[in-house]
Amino acid sequence: TTEIYTLSLHDALPISEITVADMMFSAAASLALRPVARMVPSTARVSRATFATMSGNPTAKCTTSMGEFKVELFEDQLPITVGNFVDLAKTGYYEGLTFHRVIPNFMNQFGCPLSKDPTSTRAGTGGPEGGTSFTTSDGKTITRNGGGNIPDELTAKLSNEIGTLSMANTGAPDSGGSQFFINTKHNAFLDWFDTSTPSKHPVFGKVTEGMDVVNAINTVPTGQGDKPKTPVVMEKIEIM
């Protein structure tokens, strides 16, 4: 039986009404923009992590119960979305939370405060406290709305490629808060600039080291609601 995933206004999921068969099919792969501060000789061997450092963007070191991975945060292109993530990470918001939804060959979803209890049936419905604020790298103060959500930042055409971090939302405008997902497949249909579906999930970072850990998380046994049977815990996120 072909399963159909649907967006719910009560669960911030990076999915819209689309069949698994549709998810497995991609018309074309689009290349995400990776800003670099200076030219590198074609003969040089440069890691993704080095590129991240050269770009001037911050790096998030994510330590989980299954290992560590690093992410370049595209602050130069999405200052609001990255500012929100950095603020939550620096205040310890993500510590002790679990990956509450894992779908093989699709994505790993994380960031709901209710997931600190891995048995909670409400995991996936929470977010930051409404009315709280943070300052972006360019000095602007952003106040989260009453639901704890930030304005949609649909500006940079960065595709939901493998290894990218993307904002989860309910499908309604300005409904992204603390939850995000890591793509383990090129999910172009989730791009805000892809008109084939109503999904609009802006990419704000990409894994530069430890993709093997991300893939390992993506293959853990899951139960009802795609929740890992053995909780995968985010021990801490450090901004570097």
Side-chain angles (χ1 to χ4, degrees):
T1 303
T2 301
E3 184 175 3
I4 297 178
Y5 295 97
T6 58
L7 274 172
S8 165
L9 292 181
H10 301 289
D11 196 1
L13 304 176
I15 43 183
S16 57
E17 292 191 358
I18 187 159
T19 63
V20 170
D22 290 331
M23 287 161 50
M24 295 296 289
F25 177 81
S26 175
S30 58
L31 192 62
L33 303 176
R34 298 299 305 282
V36 206
R38 60 184 174 83
M39 295 300 291
V40 178
S42 59
T43 55
R45 289 180 174 271
V46 183
S47 70
R48 288 181 177 178
T50 301
F51 272 118
T53 301
M54 289 161 51
S55 73
N57 282 327
T59 294
K61 183 169 73 170
C62 304
T63 304
T64 78
S65 54
M66 290 185 64
E68 178 185 296
F69 61 91
K70 292 182 179 179
V71 177
E72 178 188 358
L73 301 172
F74 301 145
E75 185 176 68
D76 56 345
Q77 299 182 75
L78 291 92
I80 295 175
T81 308
V82 170
N84 174 66
F85 177 88
V86 168
D87 174 67
L88 295 173
K90 284 186 173 181
T91 55
Y93 182 92
Y94 290 124
E95 293 180 10
L97 304 188
T98 62
F99 283 83
H100 65 271
R101 195 157 202 227
V102 169
I103 302 178
N105 197 34
F106 183 28
M107 60 90 213
N108 303 332
Q109 191 170 339
F110 173 81
C112 175
L114 301 174
S115 72
K116 184 165 282 191
D117 174 4
T119 66
S120 174
T121 57
R122 297 181 59 209
T125 66
E129 184 178 348
T132 52
S133 61
F134 59 92
T135 303
T136 64
S137 59
D138 52 6
K140 295 179 181 178
T141 298
I142 304 296
T143 300
R144 300 179 179 95
N145 65 21
N149 302 319
I150 63 173
D152 290 331
E153 203 166 19
L154 308 179
T155 52
K157 289 189 174 182
L158 303 170
S159 190
N160 279 268
E161 295 183 334
I162 294 173
T164 54
L165 271 67
S166 193
M167 284 297 290
N169 56 52
T170 66
D174 303 330
S175 61
S178 58
Q179 295 187 47
F180 63 90
F181 57 96
I182 308 174
N183 290 290
T184 56
K185 175 183 177 293
H186 187 186
N187 297 307
F189 72 93
L190 297 178
D191 296 342
W192 64 265
F193 49 91
D194 185 316
T195 59
S196 64
T197 74
S199 297
K200 296 182 183 297
H201 299 279
V203 166
F204 66 96
K206 188 167 186 176
V207 175
T208 56
E209 291 182 17
M211 193 62 198
D212 57 328
V213 174
V214 174
N215 287 331
I217 295 172
N218 195 236
T219 59
V220 298
T222 57
Q224 186 175 7
D226 303 307
K227 186 178 299 185
K229 291 182 177 180
T230 298
V232 181
V233 183
M234 184 67 73
E235 297 174 354
K236 60 182 176 179
I237 297 180
E238 301 169 87
I239 304 301
M240 306 165 65

